[in-house]
Amino acid sequence: MQSSPWKVRCATLCFTLLSITGVKLRPVGEEEKMIQLEAVKKSILDRLGLHKPPVITEKIDKDEMLKMFWLYQEKLLELQGNISKEETPERRVHILTPKLERSMKKCDIHGSHSHRYNLIFSRTHTINQQLSVMRAELKLCKDVLHALRSAAANSTSMAMVNIYKVTESSHANGEQNHKLLDSKPIDKDIMTLNVDTAVKQWLASSEKCLRLELVIVLDKPFMSSSKQMGADDALVLEVETQEQAHSKTRRTRSLSTDEDCKKSEKKCCRKSLLVSFEQIGWSDWIVHPSSYEMRFCDGSCPHNYKPASMHAQIKYRMHHINGDTPAPCCVPGSYDPMVLMHYNSERKLVFTVFEDMIVRKCHCA
């Protein structure tokens, strides 16, 4: 189907008018970039207490400029030293759910019945050997404990929950070794079992999986469905970690690339926009740096993805349950400072430190 002569003439006329008036046809995304640049310019001026860029008619001489550059470098070194002193190793809470298997092993002693469950935890991309374990707890949910207390009603002995670490025996018979990690009675709405030792050994090793055995001791049979014990929140391993001191330097070096958005990335990540002070017409009053990389956080925050805190994980669960609570948002987690050497409103060359101008990392909060 051919276009009518009228449509062709109309299109030609529109293009001619745009050319005469100087309006440029920008590709998709260019308009968004212009909006971002305007936001940057306005924010810098506001921070400096300026309504518009100062007009510089006379600049300082070369000797004075050289002296200012030395002072500028000293200021940068001072800031870098402060960051090294003040920066504490990052802490993070990891939530792991096990692959659960009902054990057929029988171990009934003095009329008690033991119900055994094999728990297999696998490493995630955030669990590695560079982490120190600050706390590791296995948590049983309220529904499971309620069922256990019901089964233990009118019992003649105390119902107990034991957690063991399972390792393969060095003997040829293929038996497994069991080391008791914690043992608690079933008498509360919430139960946490301490598994610090096992998790510390696991993270320090190259083992892909952590194997534990949960043993419930009752004086009568306990009928629990595999669906009830195998629910996502029935058994949860909560591990709080902290980066080891020697890994901080390596992390800082790789952080700039690790945080950047990959191609077609939709989850929370860091995006960048190079701002050239020369291109925006500010090179006459901003002496150094000549440009800076504006970074901002963008993307979705699915469950347990870059959580800023335990609060962020709870916030996601509440949002998922009723929708009234806002979902976690992708926001900056830390910043690098930037020192601006510029002329002020009195046309004097000064330094201004922007503590929160360059985004280092993003997380969900």
Side-chain angles (χ1 to χ4, degrees), residues 103-166:
S103 175
M104 296 295 105
K105 188 185 299 183
K106 298 290 184 180
C107 186
D108 299 336
I109 303 175
H110 304 304
S112 296
H113 300 269
S114 68
H115 306 269
R116 297 173 173 267
Y117 298 89
N118 297 321
L119 314 179
I120 303 173
F121 296 91
S122 300
R123 289 182 187 266
T124 66
H125 69 282
T126 59
I127 295 287
N128 56 66
Q129 292 174 303
Q130 306 303 326
L131 299 174
S132 296
V133 177
M134 312 306 294
R135 174 177 60 86
E137 296 174 332
L138 183 69
K139 296 188 174 183
L140 277 68
C141 79
K142 186 181 296 186
D143 291 343
V144 172
L145 288 173
H146 177 73
L148 290 175
R149 284 200 307 275
S150 298
N154 302 320
S155 296
T156 57
S157 61
M158 179 68 74
M160 301 292 294
V161 175
N162 305 325
I163 187 69
Y164 296 85
K165 180 187 177 184
V166 181

Short mmCIF file of all heavy atoms in Angstrom, two decimals, residues 103-166:
data_model
loop_
_atom_site.label_atom_id
_atom_site.label_comp_id
_atom_site.label_asym_id
_atom_site.label_seq_id
_atom_site.Cartn_x
_atom_site.Cartn_y
_atom_site.Cartn_z
N SER A 103 13.94 -39.53 57.44
CA SER A 103 14.83 -40.67 57.62
C SER A 103 14.03 -41.87 58.10
O SER A 103 13.14 -41.76 58.95
CB SER A 103 15.93 -40.32 58.63
OG SER A 103 16.72 -41.46 58.89
N MET A 104 14.35 -43.02 57.55
CA MET A 104 13.69 -44.25 57.94
C MET A 104 14.41 -44.95 59.10
O MET A 104 13.99 -46.00 59.56
CB MET A 104 13.62 -45.22 56.75
CG MET A 104 12.77 -44.69 55.59
SD MET A 104 11.02 -44.53 56.03
CE MET A 104 10.88 -42.76 56.22
N LYS A 105 15.49 -44.33 59.58
CA LYS A 105 16.29 -44.93 60.64
C LYS A 105 15.48 -44.98 61.94
O LYS A 105 14.86 -44.00 62.35
CB LYS A 105 17.56 -44.12 60.86
CG LYS A 105 18.54 -44.78 61.83
CD LYS A 105 19.72 -43.86 62.09
CE LYS A 105 20.47 -43.58 60.81
NZ LYS A 105 21.67 -42.73 61.10
N LYS A 106 15.47 -46.11 62.60
CA LYS A 106 14.74 -46.28 63.85
C LYS A 106 15.70 -46.16 65.03
O LYS A 106 16.80 -46.70 65.00
CB LYS A 106 14.05 -47.66 63.89
CG LYS A 106 13.00 -47.86 62.80
CD LYS A 106 11.79 -46.99 63.06
CE LYS A 106 10.69 -47.27 62.03
NZ LYS A 106 9.51 -46.43 62.26
N CYS A 107 15.26 -45.46 66.06
CA CYS A 107 16.08 -45.33 67.25
C CYS A 107 15.15 -45.08 68.44
O CYS A 107 15.06 -43.98 68.96
CB CYS A 107 17.10 -44.19 67.11
SG CYS A 107 18.26 -44.10 68.49
N ASP A 108 14.43 -46.11 68.83
CA ASP A 108 13.46 -45.99 69.92
C ASP A 108 14.06 -46.54 71.20
O ASP A 108 14.44 -47.71 71.27
CB ASP A 108 12.17 -46.75 69.58
CG ASP A 108 11.52 -46.19 68.32
OD1 ASP A 108 11.77 -45.02 68.02
OD2 ASP A 108 10.79 -46.95 67.66
N ILE A 109 14.19 -45.65 72.21
CA ILE A 109 14.85 -46.02 73.46
C ILE A 109 13.90 -45.76 74.63
O ILE A 109 13.33 -44.66 74.74
CB ILE A 109 16.14 -45.22 73.64
CG1 ILE A 109 17.07 -45.44 72.43
CG2 ILE A 109 16.84 -45.63 74.93
CD1 ILE A 109 18.30 -44.58 72.48
N HIS A 110 13.75 -46.77 75.50
CA HIS A 110 12.95 -46.63 76.72
C HIS A 110 11.55 -46.08 76.43
O HIS A 110 11.04 -45.22 77.13
CB HIS A 110 13.66 -45.70 77.72
CG HIS A 110 15.04 -46.14 78.07
ND1 HIS A 110 15.33 -47.39 78.59
CD2 HIS A 110 16.23 -45.48 77.96
CE1 HIS A 110 16.64 -47.49 78.80
NE2 HIS A 110 17.20 -46.34 78.42
N GLY A 111 10.95 -46.61 75.39
CA GLY A 111 9.58 -46.24 75.08
C GLY A 111 9.43 -44.94 74.31
O GLY A 111 8.32 -44.57 73.95
N SER A 112 10.53 -44.22 74.07
CA SER A 112 10.46 -42.97 73.31
C SER A 112 10.57 -43.26 71.83
O SER A 112 11.17 -44.25 71.41
CB SER A 112 11.58 -42.03 73.74
OG SER A 112 11.41 -41.65 75.09
N HIS A 113 9.99 -42.39 71.05
CA HIS A 113 10.03 -42.52 69.60
C HIS A 113 10.82 -41.34 69.03
O HIS A 113 10.54 -40.19 69.36
CB HIS A 113 8.61 -42.52 69.01
CG HIS A 113 7.76 -43.63 69.52
ND1 HIS A 113 7.68 -44.86 68.91
CD2 HIS A 113 6.95 -43.70 70.62
CE1 HIS A 113 6.84 -45.64 69.58
NE2 HIS A 113 6.39 -44.95 70.63
N SER A 114 11.80 -41.63 68.18
CA SER A 114 12.56 -40.55 67.54
C SER A 114 12.10 -40.41 66.10
O SER A 114 11.93 -41.40 65.38
CB SER A 114 14.06 -40.85 67.58
OG SER A 114 14.38 -41.94 66.75
N HIS A 115 11.84 -39.19 65.72
CA HIS A 115 11.44 -38.87 64.35
C HIS A 115 12.58 -38.08 63.73
O HIS A 115 12.91 -36.99 64.21
CB HIS A 115 10.15 -38.07 64.34
CG HIS A 115 9.05 -38.75 65.11
ND1 HIS A 115 8.15 -39.61 64.52
CD2 HIS A 115 8.72 -38.70 66.43
CE1 HIS A 115 7.30 -40.05 65.43
NE2 HIS A 115 7.63 -39.53 66.61
N ARG A 116 13.19 -38.63 62.69
CA ARG A 116 14.42 -38.07 62.15
C ARG A 116 14.19 -37.44 60.77
O ARG A 116 13.48 -38.01 59.94
CB ARG A 116 15.50 -39.14 62.05
CG ARG A 116 15.89 -39.72 63.41
CD ARG A 116 16.84 -40.90 63.29
NE ARG A 116 17.30 -41.32 64.59
CZ ARG A 116 18.42 -40.89 65.18
NH1 ARG A 116 19.18 -40.02 64.54
NH2 ARG A 116 18.77 -41.31 66.37
N TYR A 117 14.82 -36.29 60.57
CA TYR A 117 14.73 -35.59 59.29
C TYR A 117 16.13 -35.17 58.84
O TYR A 117 16.87 -34.52 59.61
CB TYR A 117 13.83 -34.36 59.40
CG TYR A 117 12.41 -34.67 59.79
CD1 TYR A 117 12.03 -34.75 61.12
CD2 TYR A 117 11.44 -34.92 58.81
CE1 TYR A 117 10.74 -35.05 61.49
CE2 TYR A 117 10.14 -35.21 59.16
CZ TYR A 117 9.79 -35.29 60.50
OH TYR A 117 8.49 -35.59 60.84
N ASN A 118 16.50 -35.54 57.64
CA ASN A 118 17.77 -35.11 57.07
C ASN A 118 17.59 -33.74 56.43
O ASN A 118 16.69 -33.54 55.60
CB ASN A 118 18.26 -36.12 56.02
CG ASN A 118 18.54 -37.47 56.63
OD1 ASN A 118 19.07 -37.56 57.75
ND2 ASN A 118 18.18 -38.55 55.93
N LEU A 119 18.43 -32.79 56.80
CA LEU A 119 18.38 -31.43 56.25
C LEU A 119 19.63 -31.19 55.43
O LEU A 119 20.75 -31.33 55.94
CB LEU A 119 18.30 -30.40 57.37
CG LEU A 119 17.29 -30.66 58.51
CD1 LEU A 119 17.37 -29.54 59.53
CD2 LEU A 119 15.89 -30.78 57.95
N ILE A 120 19.44 -30.83 54.17
CA ILE A 120 20.57 -30.58 53.28
C ILE A 120 20.51 -29.12 52.80
O ILE A 120 19.56 -28.72 52.13
CB ILE A 120 20.57 -31.53 52.08
CG1 ILE A 120 20.57 -32.99 52.55
CG2 ILE A 120 21.77 -31.27 51.17
CD1 ILE A 120 20.40 -34.00 51.43
N PHE A 121 21.51 -28.34 53.17
CA PHE A 121 21.59 -26.93 52.78
C PHE A 121 22.67 -26.77 51.71
O PHE A 121 23.79 -27.28 51.86
CB PHE A 121 21.94 -26.05 53.98
CG PHE A 121 20.89 -26.05 55.06
CD1 PHE A 121 20.95 -26.96 56.11
CD2 PHE A 121 19.84 -25.15 55.02
CE1 PHE A 121 19.99 -26.96 57.10
CE2 PHE A 121 18.87 -25.14 56.01
CZ PHE A 121 18.94 -26.06 57.05
N SER A 122 22.34 -26.06 50.65
CA SER A 122 23.29 -25.83 49.56
C SER A 122 23.79 -24.39 49.59
O SER A 122 23.08 -23.48 50.02
CB SER A 122 22.63 -26.12 48.20
OG SER A 122 22.19 -27.46 48.14
N ARG A 123 25.00 -24.19 49.11
CA ARG A 123 25.57 -22.85 49.05
C ARG A 123 24.81 -22.01 48.02
O ARG A 123 24.31 -22.51 47.03
CB ARG A 123 27.04 -22.90 48.64
CG ARG A 123 27.97 -23.45 49.71
CD ARG A 123 29.40 -23.40 49.22
NE ARG A 123 30.31 -24.05 50.12
CZ ARG A 123 30.99 -23.43 51.09
NH1 ARG A 123 30.86 -22.12 51.24
NH2 ARG A 123 31.81 -24.09 51.88
N THR A 124 24.76 -20.70 48.28
CA THR A 124 24.23 -19.75 47.31
C THR A 124 25.39 -18.90 46.81
O THR A 124 26.52 -19.02 47.29
CB THR A 124 23.16 -18.85 47.96
OG1 THR A 124 23.78 -18.03 48.96
CG2 THR A 124 22.05 -19.69 48.59
N HIS A 125 25.12 -18.00 45.87
CA HIS A 125 26.20 -17.16 45.32
C HIS A 125 26.71 -16.16 46.35
O HIS A 125 27.78 -15.58 46.18
CB HIS A 125 25.71 -16.42 44.07
CG HIS A 125 24.69 -15.36 44.34
ND1 HIS A 125 23.36 -15.64 44.58
CD2 HIS A 125 24.81 -14.01 44.42
CE1 HIS A 125 22.70 -14.52 44.79
NE2 HIS A 125 23.57 -13.50 44.71
N THR A 126 25.96 -15.97 47.44
CA THR A 126 26.40 -15.02 48.47
C THR A 126 27.13 -15.71 49.62
O THR A 126 27.70 -15.05 50.48
CB THR A 126 25.20 -14.25 49.04
OG1 THR A 126 24.26 -15.18 49.60
CG2 THR A 126 24.51 -13.43 47.95
N ILE A 127 27.12 -17.04 49.64
CA ILE A 127 27.81 -17.80 50.69
C ILE A 127 29.16 -18.24 50.16
O ILE A 127 29.23 -19.02 49.22
CB ILE A 127 26.97 -19.03 51.11
CG1 ILE A 127 25.66 -18.60 51.77
CG2 ILE A 127 27.77 -19.92 52.04
CD1 ILE A 127 25.81 -18.04 53.16
N ASN A 128 30.24 -17.75 50.76
CA ASN A 128 31.58 -18.11 50.28
C ASN A 128 32.56 -18.17 51.44
O ASN A 128 32.23 -17.88 52.58
CB ASN A 128 32.05 -17.10 49.23
CG ASN A 128 32.03 -15.68 49.75
OD1 ASN A 128 32.79 -15.33 50.65
ND2 ASN A 128 31.15 -14.85 49.19
N GLN A 129 33.80 -18.55 51.12
CA GLN A 129 34.82 -18.77 52.15
C GLN A 129 35.39 -17.48 52.72
O GLN A 129 36.16 -17.50 53.68
CB GLN A 129 35.96 -19.62 51.57
CG GLN A 129 35.53 -21.06 51.26
CD GLN A 129 36.63 -21.83 50.56
OE1 GLN A 129 37.12 -21.43 49.52
NE2 GLN A 129 37.05 -22.93 51.17
N GLN A 130 35.04 -16.32 52.12
CA GLN A 130 35.57 -15.04 52.58
C GLN A 130 34.72 -14.43 53.70
O GLN A 130 34.95 -13.30 54.09
CB GLN A 130 35.66 -14.05 51.40
CG GLN A 130 36.43 -14.57 50.21
CD GLN A 130 37.86 -14.96 50.57
OE1 GLN A 130 38.47 -14.35 51.41
NE2 GLN A 130 38.37 -15.99 49.92
N LEU A 131 33.75 -15.18 54.21
CA LEU A 131 32.84 -14.67 55.22
C LEU A 131 33.13 -15.28 56.59
O LEU A 131 33.47 -16.46 56.68
CB LEU A 131 31.39 -14.95 54.82
CG LEU A 131 30.90 -14.34 53.50
CD1 LEU A 131 29.49 -14.83 53.20
CD2 LEU A 131 30.95 -12.82 53.55
N SER A 132 32.98 -14.48 57.61
CA SER A 132 33.04 -14.96 58.99
C SER A 132 31.62 -15.07 59.52
O SER A 132 30.80 -14.18 59.32
CB SER A 132 33.84 -13.98 59.86
OG SER A 132 35.18 -13.89 59.43
N VAL A 133 31.33 -16.18 60.17
CA VAL A 133 29.99 -16.42 60.70
C VAL A 133 29.87 -15.78 62.07
O VAL A 133 30.61 -16.09 63.00
CB VAL A 133 29.69 -17.93 60.79
CG1 VAL A 133 28.32 -18.18 61.42
CG2 VAL A 133 29.76 -18.56 59.40
N MET A 134 28.94 -14.84 62.22
CA MET A 134 28.68 -14.18 63.49
C MET A 134 27.57 -14.89 64.28
O MET A 134 27.58 -14.88 65.50
CB MET A 134 28.27 -12.72 63.26
CG MET A 134 29.17 -11.96 62.29
SD MET A 134 30.92 -12.04 62.75
CE MET A 134 30.91 -11.12 64.27
N ARG A 135 26.66 -15.51 63.55
CA ARG A 135 25.52 -16.18 64.19
C ARG A 135 24.90 -17.13 63.19
O ARG A 135 24.77 -16.81 62.02
CB ARG A 135 24.50 -15.13 64.64
CG ARG A 135 23.19 -15.69 65.19
CD ARG A 135 22.30 -14.53 65.67
NE ARG A 135 22.00 -13.61 64.58
CZ ARG A 135 20.99 -13.77 63.73
NH1 ARG A 135 20.19 -14.83 63.84
NH2 ARG A 135 20.77 -12.86 62.78
N ALA A 136 24.53 -18.33 63.67
CA ALA A 136 23.86 -19.30 62.80
C ALA A 136 22.81 -20.04 63.63
O ALA A 136 23.15 -20.72 64.61
CB ALA A 136 24.86 -20.29 62.20
N GLU A 137 21.54 -19.89 63.23
CA GLU A 137 20.45 -20.47 64.00
C GLU A 137 19.47 -21.18 63.07
O GLU A 137 19.10 -20.65 62.03
CB GLU A 137 19.70 -19.37 64.77
CG GLU A 137 20.53 -18.67 65.82
CD GLU A 137 19.80 -17.51 66.46
OE1 GLU A 137 18.92 -16.92 65.78
OE2 GLU A 137 20.09 -17.19 67.62
N LEU A 138 19.08 -22.37 63.47
CA LEU A 138 18.02 -23.10 62.78
C LEU A 138 16.71 -22.78 63.49
O LEU A 138 16.59 -22.98 64.70
CB LEU A 138 18.29 -24.60 62.80
CG LEU A 138 17.29 -25.46 62.04
CD1 LEU A 138 17.40 -25.23 60.53
CD2 LEU A 138 17.48 -26.94 62.35
N LYS A 139 15.73 -22.27 62.75
CA LYS A 139 14.47 -21.84 63.35
C LYS A 139 13.33 -22.74 62.90
O LYS A 139 13.21 -23.04 61.71
CB LYS A 139 14.18 -20.38 62.98
CG LYS A 139 15.21 -19.41 63.55
CD LYS A 139 14.80 -17.96 63.33
CE LYS A 139 15.76 -17.01 64.02
NZ LYS A 139 15.35 -15.60 63.90
N LEU A 140 12.51 -23.15 63.85
CA LEU A 140 11.31 -23.94 63.56
C LEU A 140 10.11 -23.02 63.67
O LEU A 140 9.99 -22.25 64.62
CB LEU A 140 11.17 -25.09 64.56
CG LEU A 140 11.97 -26.37 64.27
CD1 LEU A 140 13.46 -26.13 64.43
CD2 LEU A 140 11.50 -27.51 65.17
N CYS A 141 9.23 -23.12 62.70
CA CYS A 141 8.09 -22.22 62.66
C CYS A 141 7.04 -22.60 63.70
O CYS A 141 7.04 -23.71 64.26
CB CYS A 141 7.47 -22.18 61.27
SG CYS A 141 6.42 -23.58 60.89
N LYS A 142 6.11 -21.69 63.93
CA LYS A 142 5.09 -21.85 64.97
C LYS A 142 4.18 -23.05 64.69
O LYS A 142 3.80 -23.78 65.61
CB LYS A 142 4.26 -20.57 65.06
CG LYS A 142 3.26 -20.56 66.21
CD LYS A 142 2.45 -19.27 66.23
CE LYS A 142 3.34 -18.08 66.50
NZ LYS A 142 2.54 -16.82 66.66
N ASP A 143 3.83 -23.27 63.41
CA ASP A 143 2.90 -24.37 63.07
C ASP A 143 3.50 -25.73 63.42
O ASP A 143 2.80 -26.61 63.94
CB ASP A 143 2.55 -24.32 61.58
CG ASP A 143 1.68 -23.11 61.24
OD1 ASP A 143 1.10 -22.52 62.18
OD2 ASP A 143 1.60 -22.76 60.05
N VAL A 144 4.78 -25.89 63.12
CA VAL A 144 5.44 -27.17 63.42
C VAL A 144 5.52 -27.38 64.93
O VAL A 144 5.25 -28.47 65.44
CB VAL A 144 6.85 -27.20 62.79
CG1 VAL A 144 7.62 -28.43 63.27
CG2 VAL A 144 6.75 -27.20 61.27
N LEU A 145 5.88 -26.33 65.66
CA LEU A 145 5.97 -26.44 67.12
C LEU A 145 4.61 -26.72 67.75
O LEU A 145 4.50 -27.46 68.73
CB LEU A 145 6.57 -25.16 67.69
CG LEU A 145 8.07 -24.96 67.42
CD1 LEU A 145 8.52 -23.57 67.87
CD2 LEU A 145 8.90 -26.02 68.10
N HIS A 146 3.57 -26.11 67.19
CA HIS A 146 2.22 -26.36 67.70
C HIS A 146 1.85 -27.84 67.54
O HIS A 146 1.28 -28.45 68.45
CB HIS A 146 1.21 -25.48 66.96
CG HIS A 146 -0.21 -25.72 67.38
ND1 HIS A 146 -0.72 -25.29 68.60
CD2 HIS A 146 -1.24 -26.36 66.74
CE1 HIS A 146 -1.99 -25.66 68.69
NE2 HIS A 146 -2.32 -26.30 67.59
N ALA A 147 2.19 -28.40 66.37
CA ALA A 147 1.91 -29.82 66.14
C ALA A 147 2.71 -30.70 67.09
O ALA A 147 2.21 -31.71 67.60
CB ALA A 147 2.23 -30.17 64.68
N LEU A 148 3.95 -30.31 67.37
CA LEU A 148 4.78 -31.09 68.28
C LEU A 148 4.26 -31.01 69.71
O LEU A 148 4.24 -32.02 70.43
CB LEU A 148 6.23 -30.57 68.22
CG LEU A 148 7.00 -30.85 66.93
CD1 LEU A 148 8.36 -30.17 66.97
CD2 LEU A 148 7.18 -32.34 66.72
N ARG A 149 3.84 -29.82 70.13
CA ARG A 149 3.30 -29.69 71.49
C ARG A 149 2.00 -30.48 71.66
O ARG A 149 1.74 -31.03 72.72
CB ARG A 149 3.07 -28.21 71.82
CG ARG A 149 4.35 -27.46 72.13
CD ARG A 149 4.06 -26.17 72.91
NE ARG A 149 3.06 -25.35 72.25
CZ ARG A 149 3.33 -24.47 71.29
NH1 ARG A 149 4.59 -24.30 70.91
NH2 ARG A 149 2.39 -23.75 70.73
N SER A 150 1.21 -30.51 70.61
CA SER A 150 -0.03 -31.29 70.66
C SER A 150 0.28 -32.77 70.82
O SER A 150 -0.39 -33.49 71.57
CB SER A 150 -0.86 -31.05 69.40
OG SER A 150 -1.24 -29.69 69.30
N ALA A 151 1.30 -33.22 70.08
CA ALA A 151 1.68 -34.62 70.16
C ALA A 151 2.30 -34.96 71.52
O ALA A 151 2.22 -36.09 71.99
CB ALA A 151 2.67 -34.96 69.04
N ALA A 152 2.93 -33.92 72.14
CA ALA A 152 3.60 -34.17 73.43
C ALA A 152 2.67 -33.97 74.62
O ALA A 152 3.10 -34.15 75.77
CB ALA A 152 4.79 -33.23 73.56
N ALA A 153 1.41 -33.60 74.35
CA ALA A 153 0.45 -33.37 75.46
C ALA A 153 0.27 -34.66 76.26
O ALA A 153 0.19 -35.75 75.71
CB ALA A 153 -0.88 -32.90 74.89
N ASN A 154 0.21 -34.51 77.57
CA ASN A 154 0.03 -35.65 78.49
C ASN A 154 1.19 -36.64 78.43
O ASN A 154 1.02 -37.82 78.77
CB ASN A 154 -1.30 -36.37 78.20
CG ASN A 154 -2.49 -35.44 78.32
OD1 ASN A 154 -2.55 -34.59 79.21
ND2 ASN A 154 -3.45 -35.59 77.39
N SER A 155 2.34 -36.16 77.99
CA SER A 155 3.50 -37.05 77.94
C SER A 155 4.07 -37.22 79.34
O SER A 155 3.99 -36.33 80.18
CB SER A 155 4.58 -36.47 77.02
OG SER A 155 4.11 -36.40 75.69
N THR A 156 4.66 -38.36 79.56
CA THR A 156 5.29 -38.63 80.87
C THR A 156 6.72 -38.13 80.90
O THR A 156 7.31 -38.04 81.98
CB THR A 156 5.25 -40.14 81.15
OG1 THR A 156 5.91 -40.83 80.07
CG2 THR A 156 3.82 -40.63 81.26
N SER A 157 7.29 -37.82 79.74
CA SER A 157 8.67 -37.32 79.68
C SER A 157 8.72 -36.06 78.82
O SER A 157 7.81 -35.80 78.03
CB SER A 157 9.61 -38.39 79.12
OG SER A 157 9.22 -38.74 77.80
N MET A 158 9.79 -35.29 78.97
CA MET A 158 9.95 -34.05 78.23
C MET A 158 10.21 -34.32 76.75
O MET A 158 11.10 -35.09 76.40
CB MET A 158 11.11 -33.24 78.81
CG MET A 158 11.37 -31.93 78.09
SD MET A 158 10.05 -30.71 78.34
CE MET A 158 10.37 -30.23 80.05
N ALA A 159 9.40 -33.71 75.90
CA ALA A 159 9.64 -33.83 74.45
C ALA A 159 10.81 -32.94 74.07
O ALA A 159 10.88 -31.79 74.50
CB ALA A 159 8.39 -33.42 73.69
N MET A 160 11.72 -33.46 73.26
CA MET A 160 12.96 -32.75 72.93
C MET A 160 13.15 -32.65 71.41
O MET A 160 12.68 -33.50 70.65
CB MET A 160 14.17 -33.46 73.54
CG MET A 160 14.13 -33.60 75.04
SD MET A 160 14.30 -32.01 75.90
CE MET A 160 15.96 -31.56 75.44
N VAL A 161 13.87 -31.60 71.02
CA VAL A 161 14.32 -31.46 69.63
C VAL A 161 15.84 -31.37 69.65
O VAL A 161 16.41 -30.49 70.31
CB VAL A 161 13.72 -30.21 68.96
CG1 VAL A 161 14.30 -30.03 67.56
CG2 VAL A 161 12.21 -30.32 68.88
N ASN A 162 16.49 -32.24 68.93
CA ASN A 162 17.96 -32.28 68.86
C ASN A 162 18.41 -32.02 67.42
O ASN A 162 17.75 -32.45 66.47
CB ASN A 162 18.50 -33.64 69.31
CG ASN A 162 18.03 -34.01 70.70
OD1 ASN A 162 17.87 -33.15 71.56
ND2 ASN A 162 17.79 -35.30 70.92
N ILE A 163 19.52 -31.33 67.28
CA ILE A 163 20.08 -31.09 65.95
C ILE A 163 21.53 -31.60 65.94
O ILE A 163 22.30 -31.32 66.86
CB ILE A 163 20.02 -29.59 65.57
CG1 ILE A 163 20.44 -29.38 64.12
CG2 ILE A 163 20.81 -28.72 66.51
CD1 ILE A 163 19.47 -29.92 63.09
N TYR A 164 21.86 -32.37 64.91
CA TYR A 164 23.17 -32.98 64.78
C TYR A 164 23.83 -32.55 63.47
O TYR A 164 23.15 -32.29 62.47
CB TYR A 164 23.06 -34.52 64.77
CG TYR A 164 22.54 -35.14 66.04
CD1 TYR A 164 21.17 -35.26 66.26
CD2 TYR A 164 23.41 -35.61 67.01
CE1 TYR A 164 20.67 -35.84 67.42
CE2 TYR A 164 22.93 -36.20 68.18
CZ TYR A 164 21.56 -36.31 68.38
OH TYR A 164 21.09 -36.88 69.52
N LYS A 165 25.15 -32.50 63.50
CA LYS A 165 25.91 -32.35 62.25
C LYS A 165 26.26 -33.74 61.77
O LYS A 165 26.72 -34.59 62.55
CB LYS A 165 27.18 -31.54 62.47
CG LYS A 165 27.98 -31.37 61.19
CD LYS A 165 29.32 -30.70 61.43
CE LYS A 165 30.12 -30.63 60.13
NZ LYS A 165 31.47 -30.06 60.32
N VAL A 166 26.07 -33.98 60.48
CA VAL A 166 26.31 -35.30 59.90
C VAL A 166 27.54 -35.23 59.01
O VAL A 166 27.65 -34.37 58.13
CB VAL A 166 25.10 -35.77 59.07
CG1 VAL A 166 25.35 -37.15 58.48
CG2 VAL A 166 23.83 -35.76 59.92
#
